[in-house]
Structures are given as structure tokens and as C-alpha cells.
Amino acid sequence: MVAGSSLGAFAMTSRAPSRLLLVNLAVWGALALAPLGLGAWQVGQLAQYFTYGLFAMSLALIWGHCGLLCFGQAVFFGIGGYAMSLVTLGMVPGLEAAPSSYLGVLCAVLLPAGFANLLGRFLFYGKGLQGAYFAIVTLAIAVVAERLAINWAYIGGLNGLMNVPPMNLGLLGGGTEIWDSVPVYYLTLALVFAVYLLLEALTRSRYGIVLRAIRDNQDRTGYFGYDTAGYKLTAFTLGAGVAGLAGALFVTQFNFASPPLIGFTLSTEVLIWVALGGRTLPLAAFLGAILVRSVENVLSETLGTYWLLALGLLFVLSVVLFPRGLIGEIIHRLTAPRRGVVGRNAKPP
Amino acid sequence: MEQLFILTLDASNFILAIILVAMGLVIIFGLMNVINMAHGELFLLGAYTVVMVERLGGSYWLGLVLAPLAVGLVGLIVEELVVRHVYHRFLDTILATWGLSIAIKQAVVVAFGPASHTVSSPIAASIEIFGAPYPAYRLFIMAVALLVIAVTFWLFFRTAFGLAARGVIANRDMAACLGINTRRLDRATFAYGAALAGLAGAVMAPIMSVDPQMGLGFLIPAFLSILVGGAGHLAGPLLGAAAIGGTDTLAANLWSPVVAQIVVFTMAIVVIRLFPRGLAGRWFGG
């Protein structure tokens, strides 16, 4: 199976990429043209879902490719969101005069990444935490983080931070604010697409192959001489940075940062999006988030309390029957060459 | 002195309550290597069984007897429909049972509404301990927990079933080769673990607010107890719950419940990282 999938990865160069390229063109093309056919409110809504999609991609990287089942990914999303809010609201001591969006984004990426790096150094090295232990520890961290956010008056406590300004083009703030839904939409889409290309390149590279090798069999990868803890650490750090960026984009659109952003519930929601979308392809995870949020938006009013019941059962069904995820399965059927397994979207073990 | 005694009683109470929940979890985890995220919801179902029995005019005690039976049956169904299909995919058992927990919780909301219910305490009397009144029902809970621990240890260390179960824990393939029906054992274990969760829910219902969110509050401390204590040994949750519950009660009395939760969770994470096999694994080599 392992040999088969790595062979498949090389065989991919022949036919499969062209079909995957078509799928990509169709998806991103449709997203680029979507504002033409949608009202302003729907465009704004979709732009917000993009930030969730970006968040989902960050989890797909560390879970789908590296096998780190993280139940606390929202901690990084939340730190990013709060960092962006504090900087652009001018609440950071010494930086009151420069509520710059650029600086905010920078902090929103570096702070979660730095935190994840420290946490990873503690958790992965030495005896190291495996599978379920990692899941439960991250779950506990998410609960603690939410508790801290609720009880920390500086970041607004239970009420959170309100009136977070939108993206601002001025270098030190004070320039043009991007309010309208269409510019916000394209700005978000461009950033998400850039990160998507980065993650695509990364998961196709040699680095990505090693990550999947660690996911499939950590011990064996270690015996081959790879520094497995180091690989996990970089992936975890990078994933946290991407989640932080998603959090920053989210608060500029939502204009509001509150403790649920950092907590346990959002952490589990993103798991559901990624599991339903597909954990092994960034595109599938991204679409999974958008799909679940959109369907929720439409159905939650008609179905009421039954919606969450249906989502829970669908989630169980998808985990048991479609480990590639619903969208991942569709993409797999569309793009897989007939003769065998393809490396990146191979069935997760 | 008197205050110290009450504090000790409170701590023991909390510890034994965690053990009630953790016992089922550790049996399922030890035998089947399944992290049952729906355990909190099985606890929830136990509490709601009592609510339902009382609503239909039955007494609390009838509910207490029916709860483990009903929830054990749910466990049997869940094992058959979901868990057995993902045994071999370890991380997916976490996800599948997590999805189940969402579905069960939401089914309870649909059936009983999101509001909280109260179950009146069946033993209203309080007992004077060192001159201070202490609710007798809490002593009853402690007695039930001790009984459950005793029965479980007896079951696993003194019966043929327990011998087979420990054989499967030690080496599943070898046990299967020796003619132990692992499939039947898995089913029985999951149902027993679920029944314990149901019993815990029913026992705790009178001293908690019975609402759809009550499961999670116990699930996380129970998980942390298992990991801190060591998942490989039946004594693990006893040690772990003592560490978690004791620290929590102490910190909550010294500072506040919020600080207590943060201190306990942080302590647990550090202990899990330093001793991945838990305190029991370190001391018993188990």
C-alpha cells in the first residue's frame, strides 16, 4: 500500500494532473465569477465562508497529511483573530498610533505560529505524544483557552472586542478602508488562493511525501532517518500560522472578536467541515467548510434542531464510509487514473 | 479540622464521580483501543432515563435500575452499527464517536428541549458529621461508586470473562488464536462500559442540573484522569481521578473554579507529556 501510493505519486505526472487542473480551474473560476450572479449580502457571506475555508485548509494540512488529529485548531484561529483586533483597535501598548492592518496580519500569523511551535516542541520531542493523546491534550488546551479568554478583561472578557475595523490599505492605518462586499470578496479570495497554491505546492513536494509517510507509519519513517518530530513541528507551526491568518481575515469582516472564536466548539466544527469535505486535499477541505456553512445557512431555519442531528449522523456516516470525505471522494472519482492509487488523495489509513 | 474534613469529603465525592465515568471509558479503551467520545452522551442518556421514568410516574429508584440497562442497550446498538466498522482505523474511532455524541445530544434536545430539568434528591436527609450537616445522598453516591469499582475489579480479576478480557488486552491476536471469541467480548465490553456511564448519569442526576450539555463537563476530566493515571491498567483511572479531582477541589477552594480548571488541565497536560504511560504505568509497570 505504501509502495503503491508512492509509485502512484510518480505516475501522477502523466495524466491525472491535467484532470485535477481542470477541477481546480472550474472551482476557482466559478468562485472568481460568483459576485456577478449574487447579491451584495450573499457575496459578503461567501467571503466570510472563505475565511472558514482557509481555516479548514490549515487543519487538513496537519491532520490529513501529517496525521495530527487536533481538537484545538480554533485556538490558533482565535489567537489570530484577537491579535488582529488588538493591533487594529490600537490597544497594543506602544503601537497605539499605528493601527496598521499589515502589522495586524503579521502578528496574527506569527503569534499563533510561535505558540504552536512552543507547544509542539513540548509535545512532539522526547517521548512524544501519539494519536489519541494528542487529540485529548489539544481538546483540553482549547477548553482552557476559551476559559482564559472569557476571564481576561484586557481582551474584553465574555463580551469580546467590538468595532474591529475592516482591512485598511494605509501603511500605518488611516488609509482607505475596504468596506464594500465585492472588494472584500476579491481581497479574501486572492489571499485564500495564494495560501492554497502554497499548500498545494507543499503537499506535492518531497516534504509533503515525508509528512504522509509519518502519518502512515511514524516509526518506519523514523528508521529511514527522517527527523519525524521536526517534520511534525514545522507542519503544526505552519498550520497554526494559516489558521491565524484565517482568524485575522474573519474578524475584519465580522468586526467582532469573542471567546467562541478560540474555543472548543469551533475546533470541533472545523473538524466536521474537514472530515466531510476531505482531509487529504486542501481544495476538498476548503469546499467542505463552504458547503457545510452554506447548507447550514439554508437548512438551519427549516430544519431547526434537526439540522445538527442530521449533521452529526452525516458526519458519522462519512467517517465510516468515505474516509476521503464527500467532496474528496468526488474529486477522487473525477481525477484518479484507472490503474491504481494516487499518492496524495489515497485513502487515509 | 471540621472544614478540612468537609473538604476531604467533597474531594472524595468528586473523585468517585469521575471514577464512575472513567471506569467505563478505560475498559473500552483498554480492551478495544477505542476512544469513546460519546461517553459523555451515554452519561447524559442515563440522567434522562431517570427524568423520563419520573415523568411517566415511576420512582427515582426504578429509573436508577433502568438507566444502566437502557444505556447498555444503546451501547450494544452503537457498537454494532458504528464502532465495529472503524476498529482498525484508530483516529477515526474518535471522529465517529464524536459524531455520535453530537447526534445523541441533539436527539435529546429534540425529545426533551434544550432547557434543564431537575431530579429531586431521593434521600433528602442529611447526616451530622463533626457537627456539620452533610447531604446523605452524596454519601450514597460514594457508596455506589465504591461498589462499581469493586464489581468491576471482581469481574476483571476473578471471573472467566475477566481472564479472557485481560488476555485480549495483552495480545488480541494471540487470544483469538486460543479460541477466545473477541467479537463477542468486544460487544459485551462496550455494552458494559456504556451501562456504567448510564448508571453514573442516573446516580449524578439529582445533584446536577440535567441538561444536554452535562456530558462534556464530565467527559474531559474523565479522559484526563485516564491519561494521567495510565490507560493500560484498570487502576489507572483511580489514581488519575484522585490526582485530577483532588487538585480541582483544592484549587477551587483556594482560588476559584475557573483557576482550578486551568490549573488542573495544565497539570494534566504536563503529566501526560512527562509520563505517557501514566502514573499507574510508572508505578506498576503495567
Side-chain angles (χ1 to χ4, degrees), chain B residues 102-116:
Chain B
I102 296 173
I104 294 176
K105 194 188 297 174
Q106 208 54 30
V108 167
V109 172
V110 169
F112 293 89
S116 70

Side-chain angles (χ1 to χ4, degrees), chain A residues 122 125 127 147 319-320, chain B residues 89 95 103 106 261 273-274:
Chain A
F122 180 64
Y125 283 93
K127 289 168 186 163
R147 263 291 172 76
V319 169
V320 174
Chain B
R89 291 185 269 145
L95 292 172
Q106 208 54 30
Q261 194 182 32
R273 169 60 182 78
L274 295 181

